């Protein structure tokens, strides 16, 4: 394939992920400190899976590593730090009780109730958020990723009420003035739009791993839950793991290795 055609197809794949303009941001919005725009040569073939999942090695996490991963995620997705109670979060940390309210520490290592647990959208197999969204602004892909189409979001917040994990944030105000390191390859959002972790679908399409996984130093294992030879399946065979709120019946794709 000629390099010009290859370049066109790669850029088309980025456009197909909704990384263009609309009610959300576009390249012309670039604030000071914008990150460099990679060239087509920086990209590899898309990463694909039947069912993307994540395993979190909770023995390796503390608040510092949570902050490192959160910074990587939020920088990649133009999620600014907004002071007060109206902040947006895609990746954050919490204690055992908040993370696993239906679990008790019995029969688990003694320190489980003193760890800091990373939290993010669980990319549920039966996502309540998708079921209640009236405009299909949130939908589940064939590979299990629960996506947001920011253009379709009308800000009703039914999805926030439906999610048992508090994984979604609402833009009560325009977040753009708070963005410090603008990433031109991911859309900014406006006031009135809901957002959450997308398992870095835009990076997978470019052959890359999720930003938090790259930043975690091996504490986050990402892969295909339907591939018995994948690293995530291997570690889930070897280690005891919990999923959050199993009684909610949503089937999280995020596992916590204890
Ligand atoms: S964790 Fe919440 S937002 Fe994420 S897929 Fe499940 S129900 Fe939807
Ligand atoms: S998978 Fe991507 S979007 Fe989700 S928390 Fe990690 S960095 Fe953020």
């Amino acid at each position: 394939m000629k390099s010009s055609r290859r370049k066109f197809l790669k850029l088309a794949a980025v456009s197909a992920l909704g990384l263009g303009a609309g009610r959300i941001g576009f390249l012309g919005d670039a604030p000071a400190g914008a990150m460099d725009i990679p060239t087509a040569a920086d990209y590899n073939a898309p990463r694909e899976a039947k069912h993307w999942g994540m395993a979190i090695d909770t023995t390796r996490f503390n608040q510092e590593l949570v902050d490192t991963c959160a910074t990587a995620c939020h920088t990649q997705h133009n999620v600014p730090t907004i002071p007060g109670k109206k902040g947006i979060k895609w990746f954050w940390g919490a204690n055992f009780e908040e993370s696993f309210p239906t679990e008790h520490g019995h029969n688990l290592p003694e320190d489980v109730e003193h760890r800091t647990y990373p939290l993010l959208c669980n990319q549920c197999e039966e996502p309540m958020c998708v079921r209640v969204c009236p405009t299909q602004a949130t939908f589940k892909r064939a590979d299990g990723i629960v996506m947001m189409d920011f253009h379709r979001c009308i800000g009703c917040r039914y999805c926030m009420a439906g999610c048992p994990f508090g994984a979604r944030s609402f833009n009560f105000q325009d977040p753009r003035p708070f963005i410090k390191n603008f990433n031109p390859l991911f859309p900014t959002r406006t006031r009135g739009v809901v957002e959450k972790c997308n398992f870095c679908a835009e990076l997978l399409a470019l052959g890359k791993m999720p930003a938090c996984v790259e930043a975690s130093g091996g504490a986050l294992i990402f892969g295909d839950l339907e591939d018995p030879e994948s690293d995530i399946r291997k570690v889930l065979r070897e280690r005891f793991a919990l999923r959050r709120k199993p009684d909610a019946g949503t089937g999280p794709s995020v596992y916590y290795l204890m």
Side-chain angles (χ1 to χ4, degrees):
M1 197 186 316
K2 282 188 177 167
S3 73
S4 58
R5 174 165 166 72
R6 207 161 36 231
K7 189 172 178 180
F8 169 78
L9 290 174
K10 284 168 179 168
L11 292 173
V14 172
S15 299
L17 277 166
L19 308 188
R23 193 174 171 212
I24 45 186
F26 40 85
L27 301 185
D29 286 332
M35 295 158 71
D36 288 340
I37 301 175
T39 65
D42 295 327
Y43 303 137
N44 300 309
R47 287 180 188 269
E48 293 173 347
K50 288 187 174 156
H51 182 178
W52 287 115
M54 181 182 286
I56 297 171
D57 187 346
T58 67
T59 63
R60 295 182 56 182
F61 266 93
N62 52 26
Q63 189 60 50
E64 191 181 352
L65 187 53
V66 167
D67 292 343
T68 298
C69 294
T71 299
C73 171
H74 292 176
T75 304
Q76 167 65 23
H77 300 106
N78 293 317
V79 179
T81 300
I82 300 176
K85 293 183 178 169
K86 295 179 178 173
I88 307 294
K89 56 184 177 17
W90 287 31
F91 189 108
W92 69 104
N95 61 24
F96 181 79
E97 201 177 327
E98 189 180 331
S99 306
F100 301 97
T102 55
E103 296 288 342
H104 303 285
H106 313 311
N107 304 321
L108 292 171
E110 279 179 15
D111 66 326
V112 291
E113 299 196 21
H114 305 292
R115 293 178 194 160
T116 301
Y117 293 88
L119 304 183
L120 66 164
C121 168
N122 287 288
Q123 314 295 341
C124 302
E125 289 174 60
E126 301 289 341
M128 294 291 286
C129 54
V130 171
R131 200 181 299 175
V132 298
C133 177
T135 65
Q136 298 180 351
T138 189
F139 58 95
K140 191 177 141 197
R141 301 198 324 187
D143 61 6
I145 299 180
V146 176
M147 294 290 288
M148 270 301 297
D149 180 343
F150 301 123
H151 295 91
R152 296 181 72 106
C153 180
I154 57 173
C156 68
R157 290 184 276 164
Y158 287 3
C159 58
M160 294 180 73
C163 173
F165 304 98
R168 291 171 166 268
S169 297
F170 183 66
N171 285 289
F172 285 97
Q173 59 193 322
D174 184 355
R176 291 175 183 160
F178 297 94
I179 297 173
K180 291 212 166 69
N181 294 302
F182 175 63
N183 175 10
L185 290 182
F186 199 81
T188 58
R189 282 74 67 193
T190 60
R191 180 180 171 207
V193 172
V194 172
E195 54 186 87
K196 69 166 195 74
C197 155
N198 65 348
F199 261 7
C200 287
E202 79 286 355
L203 291 180
L204 297 173
L206 300 175
K208 299 180 180 182
M209 288 294 261
C212 61
V213 174
E214 290 288 5
S216 73
L220 298 176
I221 300 112
F222 189 78
D224 189 349
L225 289 167
E226 289 199 22
D227 176 2
E229 299 306 316
S230 65
D231 288 345
I232 188 168
R233 282 289 298 277
K234 284 180 191 163
V235 78
L236 288 173
R237 275 199 293 273
E238 290 162 8
R239 299 266 303 270
F240 175 72
L242 289 177
R243 290 190 287 176
R244 297 185 64 204
K245 300 186 181 178
D247 43 341
T250 63
S253 303
V254 175
Y255 292 77
Y256 290 81
L257 306 170
M258 294 303 192

